[in-house]
Amino acid sequence: MKSKHFINLTLFMTGANLKKEISQYYLNYLWWILEPVLDMLIFYLVFGIMLNRGTPDFVAFLLVGSSTWLWFSKCVNNSALSIYQEKALLQQIYVPKIFFPLSNVLQNSAKQLVVTLLLLVFLCLYGAPVSAVWLALPILMAVQFLLICGCAFVSSAVVPFFPDLRFLISAGLHLVFFASGIFYSLESVVLPRHMFLAYLNPMAGLIKNYRLVLMSGQWPQWGYLLYVLCLSLFLCAFATWLLKRFDPVYPRILCE
């Protein structure tokens, strides 16, 4: 398939999936706002009120962390089964297998743009320092998008061979959730000598850098972003190789 046709098909499928998704609900596009808001509200009730983790800036602290995490987790979780669930289609026509996780990531990323816009409006009303530092936000989101693609592509490539891995992926996401400092500052709970290990988790560092930019008015840690970028490009390259290497194999193993 030519790259132009592939791009057009991916964009068309992404738009079609978004329209199909909103057509299933009475509130339509409003769910793009309500769904993340409800998720964040649950986080706030559990960690801010029930567990008394609140601080003067806890609402903004939590919203920045949870919105960043939800984008990552939904893309990776949903993409894990993106090829496996299309086994009927793969028996009939040829489609490059990267198409399925990519369209899934784009679908969730389109909704994330809406969430990010609302987050920025909230932070302005909340009194966060608005400055030229916010210009770094697209760079942060681009690096995270590549990380999401790498993780989503790898998970979608291996699950058709071992379907039970989707449970391990879900469990792994739960582990990373608690290790990423979404509702607490890593500096307040991790010993200094272990901090390096904590920030090997790229989501922990990305969330910290989002907070630096949006809440503290500081430029992100460019060296750390370079580390996440290199890791993301490696995962994307490895996953692309896997998907191309086993491209003709997927239809056979999925029909067994």
Side-chain angles (χ1 to χ4, degrees), residues 5-254:
H5 293 162
F6 176 79
I7 293 173
N8 290 337
L9 178 61
T10 303
L11 294 177
F12 172 81
M13 183 57 68
T14 301
N17 286 340
L18 288 170
K19 291 179 181 178
K20 178 182 177 182
E21 180 180 336
I22 64 171
S23 68
Q24 297 174 345
Y25 308 110
Y26 289 111
L27 297 180
N28 294 341
Y29 291 99
L30 194 57
W31 274 115
W32 290 8
I33 301 172
L34 290 178
E35 184 181 10
V37 168
L38 290 174
D39 287 333
M40 295 174 194
L41 179 61
I42 291 172
F43 289 156
Y44 176 71
L45 290 175
V46 173
F47 300 111
I49 297 179
M50 295 180 184
L51 298 182
N52 195 28
R53 296 292 303 178
T55 64
D57 295 322
F58 185 69
V59 175
F61 183 90
L62 180 62
L63 289 181
V64 173
S66 60
S67 62
T68 303
W69 169 256
L70 288 171
W71 180 23
F72 174 81
S73 63
K74 287 182 179 180
C75 285
V76 176
N77 229 342
N78 295 340
S79 296
L81 290 173
S82 58
I83 296 176
Y84 182 78
Q85 290 177 330
E86 298 295 339
K87 50 188 173 183
L89 177 63
L90 294 179
Q91 306 300 318
Q92 304 173 29
I93 60 173
Y94 171 76
V95 180
K97 307 310 175 285
I98 199 172
F99 165 79
F100 300 107
L102 179 59
S103 60
N104 193 290
V105 169
L106 290 176
Q107 179 182 344
N108 284 281
S109 297
K111 294 188 287 185
Q112 180 65 21
L113 292 177
V114 178
V115 173
T116 301
L117 179 60
L118 292 174
L119 177 63
L120 294 179
V121 171
F122 168 80
L123 290 174
C124 290
L125 298 175
Y126 191 79
V130 181
S131 66
V133 172
W134 281 25
L135 294 175
L137 181 60
I139 299 176
L140 277 170
M141 295 185 70
V143 172
Q144 184 179 357
F145 177 79
L146 288 175
L147 177 65
I148 288 171
C149 285
C151 295
F153 294 170
V154 169
S155 62
S156 68
V158 298
V159 164
F161 293 96
F162 311 101
D164 289 352
L165 277 178
R166 64 186 186 271
F167 302 115
L168 293 180
I169 291 172
S170 180
L173 285 172
H174 278 92
L175 175 62
V176 177
F177 167 78
F178 287 105
S180 296
I182 294 165
F183 51 90
Y184 63 89
S185 170
L186 287 176
E187 283 73 11
S188 66
V189 297
V190 178
L191 294 175
R193 64 176 179 273
H194 297 153
M195 199 63 65
F196 172 76
L197 295 175
Y199 283 114
L200 287 178
N201 166 17
M203 282 306 300
L206 282 174
I207 289 173
K208 177 181 179 179
N209 277 277
Y210 273 105
R211 287 172 177 151
L212 285 176
V213 170
L214 296 176
M215 296 180 60
S216 303
Q218 301 178 35
W219 290 103
Q221 300 167 320
W222 299 113
Y224 188 85
L225 291 187
L226 180 61
Y227 154 68
V228 179
L229 176 62
C230 292
L231 175 63
S232 304
L233 291 176
F234 168 77
L235 289 174
C236 286
F238 177 64
T240 301
W241 176 81
L242 281 178
L243 291 168
K244 287 184 177 180
R245 171 67 177 80
F246 296 107
D247 188 276
V249 179
Y250 288 117
R252 295 204 304 268
I253 65 170
L254 290 175

